[in-house]
Amino acid sequence: MKRFEQKTVLVTGAASGIGAACVRRLWEEGASVALADQDQTGLEKLISEFSETNDNPRIFGGRLDVSDSAQVQSFVAAAKGKFGHLHGLINCAGIKGVGNVLDCEPENWKKVMSVNLDGTFLMCQAFARAVQHDRTSRAIVNISSGAGIMGVPNRLPYVASKFAVSGVTRTMGAELGPYGIRVNAIAPGMVRTPFTAYMFEDPEKARRIRAAHAIGREGQPEEIAAVATFLLTDDASFMTGAVVSVDGGQTACIPSV
Ligand code: NAD
């Protein structure tokens, strides 16, 4: 029995990296998947892996800017219209946020918060409103970061947005528990995706990244997708409001000197 047969899952940031790995895993396990990303070309490329036509009954793809409330509402409504029921949501859409307290411009700060935090909030709200009367188990997974657990110099807006994602996850877990909707977050360590590819171009930097993880290497997107899909299933039925580190031990300890 495939774990996601007869289940529908929404994935944002679906065109690349961790989101695309989640989509592939869900597809293999029988889910119907609603894919959202602002990158239309990337979306179409991924969808073509599953289907040569645009009318696959298990796939719905939509171009979406998660920071735009109207777009989010119409995407969730369209997915519900196509599939009837929605069972899960994985929020992967995210952008980098470089800058420190001395040089970070307000526009940069607002842009990062609008995608990483507002986008997560808007998607969770639209999903929760769509399923709140279903009275059966539903689940949300937000992708936070190790930068939502520990500070990172010169990544101030990113850190702020990811600490906030961890905080809203815990709070929404409490708020939505009575509706049967579980909300958890994953805090990944460094994962090899287009988001981080530039960091591995310098061999010395790549060595330092690997050394910062207890298991001595960066992660792969499939290792995050494995935990995200687990959190959607009833095997995680007693988990809500949790922020789960999936980071090869990156945030497990302070290095001894
Ligand atoms: P990625 O760049 O490969 O994928 C991110 C996707 O989000 C892209 O397809 C992009 O088009 C989409 N996106 C960006 N802004 C959007 C918007 N406004 N609306 C809709 N889609 C939008 O990155 P990734 O590494 O797969 O990261 C996925 C998530 O994981 C992000 O939230 C990131 O912060 C988080 N994360 C990544 C790492 C890592 O090491 N890769 C570590 C910790 C956390």
Side-chain angles (χ1 to χ4, degrees):
M1 175 67 181
K2 292 180 171 179
R3 293 187 301 176
F4 288 93
E5 257 167 25
Q6 311 297 327
K7 307 268 191 217
T8 300
V9 181
L10 282 61
V11 181
T12 73
S16 177
I18 293 168
C22 290
V23 171
R24 292 188 181 104
R25 180 77 189 244
L26 288 161
W27 174 263
E28 282 163 18
E29 297 210 46
S32 296
V33 192
L35 300 72
D37 203 293
Q38 65 175 9
D39 173 5
Q40 178 75 31
T41 311
L43 266 186
E44 285 169 8
K45 193 159 169 266
L46 182 61
I47 291 171
S48 71
E49 288 183 23
F50 311 119
S51 174
E52 287 176 3
T53 62
N54 279 335
D55 55 2
N56 188 303
R58 282 177 52 205
I59 290 285
F60 170 75
R63 186 176 184 283
L64 166 66
D65 176 352
V66 291
S67 68
D68 183 313
S69 175
Q71 288 185 35
V72 165
Q73 287 176 48
S74 64
F75 174 76
V76 173
K80 190 169 180 181
K82 166 148 180 155
F83 295 123
H85 289 287
L86 306 177
H87 300 90
L89 164 66
I90 307 178
N91 281 311
C92 294
I95 58 173
K96 298 181 186 76
V98 177
N100 62 54
V101 64
L102 296 174
D103 69 12
C104 182
E105 296 295 341
E107 286 314 308
N108 176 24
W109 175 275
K110 283 182 197 157
K111 173 72 186 163
V112 176
M113 296 299 268
S114 75
V115 177
N116 294 1
L117 178 59
D118 299 4
T120 299
F121 159 67
L122 290 170
M123 284 299 304
C124 288
Q125 183 178 64
F127 177 83
R129 285 177 172 170
V131 303
Q132 66 178 313
H133 301 301
D134 291 357
R135 296 283 159 202
T136 180
S137 76
R138 305 287 185 240
I140 297 172
V141 177
N142 295 323
I143 304 299
S144 178
S145 171
I149 293 177
M150 297 173 78
V152 186
N154 211 37
R155 299 287 183 276
L156 190 65
Y158 186 73
V159 167
S161 70
K162 293 300 186 176
F163 265 77
V165 167
S166 300
V168 298
T169 296
R170 293 194 190 285
T171 304
M172 291 189 297
E175 291 171 343
L176 295 176
Y179 295 90
I181 307 168
R182 296 181 299 100
V183 190
N184 293 291
I186 293 174
M190 187 69 77
V191 179
R192 196 69 175 261
T193 70
F195 195 81
T196 56
Y198 73 100
M199 298 184 195
F200 291 89
E201 284 165 10
D202 172 358
E204 174 51 24
K205 201 179 228 184
R207 188 198 64 75
R208 285 204 307 272
I209 290 170
R210 292 178 179 126
H213 294 72
I215 64 172
R217 64 170 176 84
E218 75 274 27
Q220 297 300 327
E222 293 75 19
E223 294 177 290
I224 308 304
V227 180
T229 50
F230 158 72
L231 288 170
L232 291 183
T233 69
D234 287 343
D235 283 344
S237 53
F238 200 48
M239 292 183 73
T240 198
V243 180
V244 182
S245 291
V246 184
D247 67 358
Q250 188 188 32
T251 56
C253 63
I254 298 165
S256 50
V257 286

